[in-house]
Amino acid sequence: STFSSSLALSILTNKNCKLTPRRLTRHELDVYFSKYDIKRLEMYSNNLVDYHLVVDLMPSLARIYFMNQMDDVHMSAVQSAILLGIGLQHKIVDTLSTELDLPSSQLLGLFNRLMRRSVQYLNSILEEEVERTWTSPKDVVMTPVVKDMNKELEEAAQELQKKQKKELEKLKKENLEKFAIKGSEEEWSKALNTKGKKSLVSVK
């Protein structure tokens, strides 16, 4: 931390020691940050909390950035110096402001911008993991209706007519004479005209 941020940055970005950029895996991301950590970074990038809430995460973020583990994420020289100063040299904003000859408000504005890029990168890793583990729903096979409603109603009516016809034929075959009331008209007249007498009508 005795070096100025600009000098330390020039040492880290030595062209003779260039690392090939690569992308973090989800497992590697979990080593550096928890989901709550990423949520804190996201809240700061959205100006919902003060930068003091994320200062403890800067060493890990600076480490993966300067080890070229943030794929194609690029920051300006000033943003890189800010990340190096806060994350690896543990300097406060006022010290960096003096070293870089920037007002504190402008320095924090640049810091917030680099945090937005970092959060986008970290969230993209999480999203990729979700996409890989996402199981696509099975295709729903819609069985077409073979018969429309009108045809079904017509068939139901025909079936009812057949059933009624069958019952009618069954009744015709039965001998209904056994249900007939016996007696001639003369016998019924005598029985009905008899007054004061109890008459019995025989039903045979």
Side-chain angles (χ1 to χ4, degrees):
S1 61
T2 55
F3 294 132
S4 66
S5 298
S6 56
L7 177 59
L9 181 62
S10 64
I11 296 173
L12 282 178
T13 56
N14 190 339
K15 294 182 179 179
N16 295 327
C17 301
K18 196 70 174 177
L19 297 175
T20 303
R22 73 178 187 86
R23 194 172 183 81
L24 283 178
T25 64
R26 173 60 191 275
H27 177 71
E28 291 172 332
L29 178 63
D30 290 340
V31 173
Y32 291 108
F33 302 106
S34 66
K35 290 183 179 180
Y36 175 68
D37 294 335
I38 296 177
K39 186 64 178 178
R40 280 194 288 156
L41 293 172
E42 188 174 359
M43 290 175 67
Y44 173 73
S45 68
N46 292 327
N47 298 314
L48 297 177
V49 295
D50 187 72
Y51 81 96
H52 292 96
L53 188 65
V54 297
V55 168
D56 62 306
L57 302 176
M58 290 305 98
S60 296
L61 187 62
R63 187 175 295 109
I64 64 175
Y65 176 73
F66 289 109
M67 290 180 67
N68 279 4
Q69 294 179 343
M70 292 185 70
D71 201 12
D72 58 349
V73 177
H74 297 288
M75 301 181 187
S76 67
V78 178
Q79 288 176 327
S80 298
I82 294 172
L83 182 59
L84 186 151
I86 297 177
L88 299 181
Q89 294 182 304
H90 309 290
K91 293 179 179 180
I92 62 175
V93 171
D94 291 338
T95 302
L96 280 176
S97 178
T98 302
E99 288 184 3
L100 300 174
D101 194 21
L102 287 173
S104 298
S105 58
Q106 186 177 352
L107 188 146
L108 287 175
L110 292 170
F111 179 66
N112 184 272
R113 194 174 303 173
L114 75 88
M115 290 299 297
R116 289 181 186 177
R117 293 182 181 178
S118 301
V119 169
Q120 289 176 356
Y121 168 71
L122 299 177
N123 279 332
S124 68
I125 298 175
L126 298 177
E127 291 169 0
E128 288 174 359
E129 178 67 17
V130 172
E131 290 177 0
R132 280 195 295 268
T133 57
W134 181 266
T135 54
S136 58
K138 296 181 179 179
D139 295 334
V140 180
V141 179
M142 301 297 291
T143 304
V145 179
V146 180
K147 305 173 184 177
D148 59 15
M149 185 177 295
N150 291 332
K151 191 170 183 179
E152 287 186 3
L153 292 173
E154 184 180 349
E155 290 182 354
Q158 291 176 357
E159 185 177 350
L160 180 60
Q161 289 177 356
K162 289 180 181 179
K163 187 175 180 181
Q164 291 175 341
K165 186 177 180 180
K166 186 176 180 181
E167 292 292 333
L168 182 59
E169 291 177 354
K170 184 178 179 181
L171 289 174
K172 287 180 178 180
K173 290 180 181 179
E174 291 184 1
N175 186 9
L176 299 181
E177 292 182 356
K178 60 183 179 180
F179 298 106
I181 300 176
K182 303 289 184 175
S184 62
E185 292 184 3
E186 185 179 352
E187 291 176 343
W188 277 100
S189 297
K190 290 181 179 180
L192 293 174
N193 291 328
T194 302
K195 293 183 180 181
K197 295 182 180 180
K198 293 183 179 180
S199 300
L200 296 178
V201 178
S202 175
V203 179
K204 298 179 182 181

